[in-house]
Amino acid sequence: MSASKASTSTQPMDEEPVLRVFNSLTRTKDVFKTKKPKHIDWYNCGPTVYDSSHMGHARNYLTQDIIRRILRDYFGYNVNFVMNITDIDDKIILRAREKYLLDQTKSSNPTLTPGLIKDTRIAFGKFLSSKLIKSLPSPIDTSSTTDDLEIFHTILDKYKTDATFAESARTKEEKFALYIASLLKAHGAIKIAEGKLNGSNQQDVDDLIDGASDVLGPYYGETLGHTIKDPISVSRTLALYWESEYFKDMERLRILPPNFKPRVSEYVNEIVQFVSRIIDNGFAYEAEGSVWFDVTKFDGAEGDGFRHEYAKLQPGSKGNKKLIDEGEGALTGSKGKRQSADFALWKAKSKPGEPAWPSPWGEGRPGWHIECSVMASAILGKGMDIHSGGVDLMFPHHDNELAQSEAYHGCQQWVNYFLHTGHLHIEGLKMSKSLKNFITIEEELSRNTARRLRLAFMLQNWNQKLDYSRGLIADTKAKEETFDNFFANVNARLSQAGSSVDDQHGMGEAEIALTNHMFGAQRDFHSALCDSFNTPSAIQVLLDLIAKTNIYFSARARDANLGVVTNVAEWITRMLRMFGLGEGAPAKNSIGWGLAVQGGDDAQNGSDTSAQVEPWARAISSFRDTVRKLAMDKSISSDQLSKQILALSDRFRDEEAVNLGLQLDDGQGNDGGALWKIVDPSSLISAREEKRKIIAEKQAKKEALAKANEEKRIALLEKGKISPKDMFKPPQVPTDLYSEWDDQGIPIKDVEGKEVSKSAQKKSLKEWKIQEKLHENYLTWKKEQEQAQ
């Protein structure tokens, strides 16, 4: 070989792909570079813990977990993952005090009282006027009554019967349907309670308060909130409960716990110090006990060789009052606020009964946006590699985080990469309680496994809208079955091969081609993950490799080189488990992703062995008993015995084995027997039912065709009763049609005595011959019937 050829052959054919990540700050895929070699400091916005976790949470936290695993277990980074718990928030305060006051009302009322029902009616009226009537798209005449319950029914009737009105109402206020539902539930509870007023018990009280909680809770919060002696404890109790429930849901979803999970309530002192420094730096001001960030002063302010910039993530939303107000919270006032775009760093205590902490500006609590800036800075320092959260947090929350943090640290760029997960839609619509498509994580895990949810999310890009639909779940199930069947097939062949080794090396063209397919798949898989964690493409690479391996299996049958197949299966296993799609410990041969169970719990681990073995023992014992009885029955001939045993074997394969998750492929084993596989019973049962459905449909079509043919045959016999000589004569034809016929009964003159045309006679002759054949068939059939009798 020449020197020139030798040097050329050592050159790489393709440029090695580098990891690029879609960065919300630049709105492009940026080359990923960390501040420290092979180390990532990552802050993720955690939950506000006041209610059940839902599929929107799953979209965010599952997605972050998948990316985190890819960075850690595929690209080899050490990841310091920090996720906060927001346990001081207006939503928590409102929900906690309402729950506390409703519980207190239950405990202080063993029976229904006129006063309690009066409170509920007042609460109903306030909710009706402040929520529903205020949201009406057009006035409704309610002058005929002053009773709030009757007024509500007038509106309800209009809503139910006038589709245009209903659509206009929902357009004006997206929560209109929720308001209707809350009032309808309260209306029913009040009516029932009024009927039981003279003979009630504690359960009746609980039913009224629970039924009217949506209207009664806010009313008591406004009127009795000041009576709460320890509002911090009340809020903390609710937050701790929902925090615990949140982490249970995350565990069910197989989401890795964070390295640190700071709570806002633990960082109030640090928040006060942080806010004080922003004031000292000239970017915030105190007004009537609150502290506001001065957006105008910050935006464009000179830094050390740079200018500060506000709303880096969503500059188009700058000044959007609706988004700004939503970010401030329901309990935040605006006293002393200089500009509408300014946002609260510290909120003054506005009412008795609200939780508050001491500060240089008086008692109050942290603003929402400042919380994350302080906790992230306290743990990660002046900056970080990655900050992540849902796309709905971009403005104002994350833009405000960036502004106040850069104002505090005096830096130009606090975050290097901002990762925002896309919106979650359900069947094409935004998830919303008003649309009745609101799904909690617990609810969804009762229908689908944690692995299926993870895989479904991976089939769409992480930073794009995810449409969680029946079609997506069906596609995910099909892909799951492909992986399941592949692992079952490989393990079955490995199990039956045992330790036998033939004297051939077994590396022909097919084996070399499959090996090259695997290396090509590994390159494509790497390229996909380097392309901003393109999991849809990565999963498809694995599925394509499985398809090529299945083709190899089919071609080589029992002569397949299991060593080559094992290499493929082990790599696919490692990649699936890297994504977090594995269940339980890997198998001894390191092949397979385990059995996923609904509910997200490790239902198979640590369960009673006898409970697992019992259905197998029952099926095998029953099969054996039936075979023994047949063998001992001397009245059965050997030929009949063979047929019955074969039928029993087939029934065991198609019924008992399927129900157990045992797939038996006759004649596919190394010894010519069945190739057995342990697979998910539900997939086998589903396949069996689908096969039965196809057979039933074929049988139904066959029976329908036979019925149609029989009906046709009977119709023809009925038609054949008439002799061809009579077919053109009355009463078979009208009396005013013909007047003369030939010897065969074919008409030759019409009713007026004119000769029938030659073409008409020719047509009649053709019909005559057909009828002659039908009549012969009828006479033959009649003769057969008479002989049979």
Side-chain angles (χ1 to χ4, degrees):
M1 183 182 291
S2 67
S4 62
K5 286 184 178 179
S7 61
T8 302
S9 66
T10 61
Q11 298 301 312
M13 294 179 65
D14 299 306
E15 186 177 341
E16 179 73 17
V18 296
L19 175 59
R20 294 177 181 272
V21 178
F22 185 85
N23 187 353
S24 298
L25 283 165
T26 62
R27 291 173 279 284
T28 59
K29 293 178 183 178
D30 295 336
V31 174
F32 187 68
K33 295 179 180 179
T34 54
K35 296 193 298 179
K36 304 171 193 173
K38 282 297 177 183
H39 178 89
I40 297 173
D41 283 327
W42 184 343
Y43 183 88
N44 183 43
C45 273
T48 300
V49 282
Y50 70 99
D51 206 342
S52 299
S53 301
H54 51 70
M55 287 297 289
H57 293 120
R59 168 58 167 161
N60 184 31
Y61 300 119
L62 252 179
T63 299
Q64 305 301 335
D65 186 71
I66 292 163
I67 295 174
R68 179 183 176 189
R69 288 172 184 267
I70 293 170
L71 288 168
R72 186 191 72 172
D73 298 337
Y74 185 82
F75 289 106
Y77 286 95
N78 298 314
V79 182
N80 183 20
F81 191 83
V82 181
M83 186 189 73
N84 73 291
I85 303 296
T86 297
D87 61 351
I88 299 176
D89 181 84
D90 289 5
K91 295 185 184 73
I92 296 172
I93 294 169
L94 288 168
R95 184 67 60 85
R97 79 181 183 192
E98 288 175 14
K99 183 180 185 306
Y100 174 82
L101 292 169
L102 291 174
D103 288 345
Q104 193 176 60
T105 303
K106 287 180 182 179
S107 63
S108 60
N109 287 276
T111 60
L112 293 169
T113 64
L116 178 56
I117 292 178
K118 180 182 178 182
D119 282 350
T120 311
R121 271 187 166 270
I122 293 172
F124 185 95
K126 287 186 175 295
F127 191 98
L128 177 70
S129 59
S130 65
K131 300 291 186 183
L132 197 68
I133 293 177
K134 186 179 179 181
S135 304
L136 291 176
S138 57
I140 293 178
D141 182 14
T142 58
S143 58
S144 60
T145 180
T146 57
D147 187 295
D148 290 323
L149 271 65
E150 292 180 8
I151 292 172
F152 166 66
H153 249 295
T154 301
I155 298 173
L156 179 63
D157 289 342
K158 178 75 170 174
Y159 182 77
K160 285 181 175 180
T161 58
D162 189 334
T164 303
F165 172 85
E167 181 62 31
S168 300
R170 291 191 294 267
T171 301
K172 182 179 179 181
E173 172 53 72
E174 64 177 15
K175 293 182 179 179
F176 195 87
L178 275 182
Y179 297 157
I180 288 282
S182 295
L183 287 165
L184 187 61
K185 187 178 176 184
H187 180 282
I190 293 170
K191 284 295 186 182
I192 291 172
E194 287 177 339
K196 294 183 176 182
L197 185 58
N198 296 324
S200 62
N201 54 35
Q202 184 66 59
Q203 186 59 55
D204 296 322
V205 173
D206 294 351
D207 289 344
L208 172 62
I209 293 172
D210 291 341
S213 60
D214 289 350
V215 302
L216 194 57
Y219 172 71
Y220 278 154
E222 286 292 320
T223 57
L224 299 177
H226 65 280
T227 65
I228 299 174
K229 295 179 181 179
D230 190 355
I232 291 179
S233 175
V234 169
S235 291
R236 187 82 187 111
T237 299
L238 180 85
L240 279 173
Y241 172 79
W242 286 116
E243 178 187 329
S244 174
E245 292 300 300
Y246 164 81
F247 279 110
K248 287 177 184 176
D249 284 337
M250 295 304 103
E251 187 177 359
R252 293 186 189 108
L253 290 173
R254 307 294 190 264
I255 290 175
L256 297 168
N259 298 97
F260 297 96
K261 51 177 182 181
R263 299 182 184 92
V264 177
S265 59
E266 299 166 353
Y267 281 80
V268 175
N269 290 336
E270 288 86 346
I271 289 171
V272 170
Q273 294 167 17
F274 201 96
V275 172
S276 296
R277 183 166 170 179
I278 295 176
I279 294 174
D280 293 342
N281 289 347
F283 296 115
Y285 57 91
E286 184 270 338
E288 300 188 40
S290 294
V291 178
W292 301 91
F293 187 85
D294 195 324
V295 171
T296 303
K297 276 194 176 181
F298 175 80
D299 198 10
E302 292 285 349
D304 186 8
F306 64 89
R307 284 180 179 274
H308 285 298
E309 180 184 351
Y310 179 67
K312 293 178 179 179
L313 292 167
Q314 282 192 342
S317 296
K318 193 186 299 185
N320 186 317
K321 189 175 185 305
K322 181 181 178 183
L323 293 177
I324 292 169
D325 290 346
E326 287 175 356
E328 291 303 282
L331 298 175
T332 305
S334 58
K335 288 183 179 179
K337 188 176 179 179
R338 294 174 185 172
Q339 295 106 206
S340 62
D342 295 348
F343 55 90
L345 302 178
W346 184 263
K347 301 178 181 182
K349 180 179 179 180
S350 58
K351 290 182 180 179
E354 289 183 5
W357 290 260
S359 81
W361 319 288
E363 282 196 330
R365 61 183 183 276
W368 176 35
H369 314 298
I370 197 68
E371 299 169 350
C372 289
S373 292
V374 174
M375 291 182 285
S377 296
I379 297 172
L380 300 177
K382 286 189 173 183
M384 67 198 73
D385 298 296
I386 296 176
H387 194 318
S388 59
V391 67
D392 54 309
L393 297 179
M394 289 179 74
F395 185 90
H397 185 54
H398 287 159
D399 269 324
N400 288 354
E401 265 192 71
L402 286 170
Q404 63 203 10
S405 300
E406 289 163 5
Y408 175 88
H409 293 294
C411 64
Q412 182 180 12
Q413 187 164 314
W414 185 55
V415 174
N416 287 342
Y417 302 88
F418 238 120
L419 309 187
H420 285 101
T421 54
H423 282 298
L424 176 88
H425 283 200
I426 306 293
E427 299 291 350
L429 298 172
K430 181 181 177 182
M431 190 177 74
S432 167
K433 287 182 179 178
S434 61
L435 295 175
K436 297 182 180 179
N437 64 355
F438 187 87
I439 307 171
T440 67
I441 291 173
E442 184 177 13
E443 287 170 344
E444 193 57 26
L445 285 176
S446 70
R447 295 187 286 261
N448 290 295
T449 65
R451 175 160 72 202
R452 187 168 296 152
L453 298 189
R454 183 178 291 257
L455 183 57
F457 285 12
M458 292 177 66
L459 296 181
Q460 299 188 31
N461 285 316
W462 63 271
N463 60 327
Q464 296 176 357
K465 182 184 76 174
L466 171 68
D467 187 12
Y468 192 72
S469 63
R470 287 185 292 272
L472 175 61
I473 289 299
D475 183 40
T476 305
K477 285 182 179 179
K479 288 176 169 57
E480 264 190 304
E481 288 182 8
T482 299
F483 285 118
D484 281 334
N485 292 337
F486 173 70
F487 290 135
N489 198 25
V490 173
N491 281 320
R493 291 176 183 273
L494 287 173
S495 177
Q496 294 205 12
S499 58
S500 62
V501 179
D502 59 32
D503 58 357
Q504 299 294 320
H505 56 70
M507 287 299 291
E509 290 183 5
E511 287 72 26
I512 292 171
L514 181 59
T515 300
N516 288 334
H517 283 316
M518 180 183 73
F519 291 135
Q522 290 172 339
R523 289 192 297 272
D524 292 342
F525 187 86
H526 182 70
S527 295
L529 294 190
C530 283
D531 182 21
S532 192
F533 319 113
N534 188 339
T535 53
S537 294
I539 291 295
Q540 191 57 51
V541 167
L542 301 182
L543 292 168
D544 290 344
L545 181 57
I546 285 176
K548 289 181 171 67
T549 308
N550 288 339
I551 291 171
Y552 168 77
F553 261 144
S554 297
R556 298 287 286 163
R558 298 175 195 169
D559 297 327
N561 185 322
L562 296 182
V564 173
V565 174
T566 297
N567 291 337
V568 171
E570 285 179 346
W571 178 68
I572 291 175
T573 296
R574 290 198 303 276
M575 295 307 98
L576 292 175
R577 287 186 173 272
M578 176 272 294
F579 286 133
L581 292 165
E583 291 286 346
K588 291 180 181 179
N589 60 6
S590 300
I591 293 175
W593 62 351
L595 176 64
V597 293
Q598 287 180 199
D601 299 317
D602 293 318
Q604 303 298 319
N605 296 341
S607 57
D608 183 13
T609 303
S610 62
Q612 297 180 44
V613 172
E614 183 180 346
W616 291 78
R618 189 186 304 114
I620 294 169
S621 177
S622 176
F623 177 77
R624 176 178 177 274
D625 290 343
T626 306
V627 171
R628 287 186 77 246
K629 286 179 182 177
L630 286 173
M632 291 186 292
D633 190 344
K634 303 300 183 182
S635 65
I636 302 176
S637 67
S638 58
D639 184 52
Q640 284 295 110
L641 180 63
S642 297
K643 288 181 180 179
Q644 291 193 40
I645 289 176
L646 283 173
L648 278 172
S649 299
D650 288 346
R651 191 180 75 183
F652 181 83
R653 176 197 63 202
D654 298 334
E655 299 294 334
E656 287 85 354
V658 164
N659 295 337
L660 292 168
L662 173 63
Q663 182 176 334
L664 297 170
D665 296 338
D666 287 338
Q668 298 299 311
N670 290 336
D671 58 357
L675 179 69
W676 58 267
K677 308 169 190 177
I678 303 296
V679 297
D680 181 5
S682 63
S683 64
L684 286 181
I685 292 170
S686 177
R688 181 182 66 191
E689 295 309 311
E690 183 63 27
K691 184 178 179 181
R692 286 177 175 174
K693 182 181 176 183
I694 292 171
I695 292 172
E697 287 174 352
K698 286 182 178 179
Q699 182 63 28
K701 286 181 181 179
K702 184 178 178 181
E703 291 174 358
L705 181 61
K707 183 180 179 182
N709 287 337
E710 178 62 14
E711 289 174 352
K712 183 179 178 181
R713 186 183 72 85
I714 292 171
L716 289 174
L717 287 172
E718 187 67 27
K719 188 177 180 182
K721 285 181 179 181
I722 302 167
S723 169
K725 289 183 178 182
D726 299 326
M727 65 181 295
F728 296 112
K729 298 176 181 178
Q732 312 308 325
V733 297
T735 56
D736 58 351
L737 205 57
Y738 305 113
S739 62
E740 191 174 336
W741 297 263
D742 65 12
D743 294 341
Q744 291 179 302
I746 295 174
I748 55 177
K749 289 184 180 181
D750 63 16
V751 71
E752 295 177 354
K754 295 179 181 179
E755 287 191 2
V756 175
S757 66
K758 295 296 184 184
S759 61
Q761 290 185 48
K762 188 176 180 180
K763 181 181 178 183
S764 296
L765 179 61
K766 187 176 180 181
E767 294 177 6
W768 187 94
K769 288 180 177 180
I770 294 172
Q771 186 64 25
E772 181 185 40
K773 184 66 177 175
L774 291 175
H775 189 60
E776 287 175 359
N777 290 341
Y778 169 74
L779 294 174
T780 302
W781 172 80
K782 189 175 181 182
K783 185 176 181 181
E784 289 173 351
Q785 295 297 308
E786 290 172 351
Q787 290 174 350
Q789 292 176 358

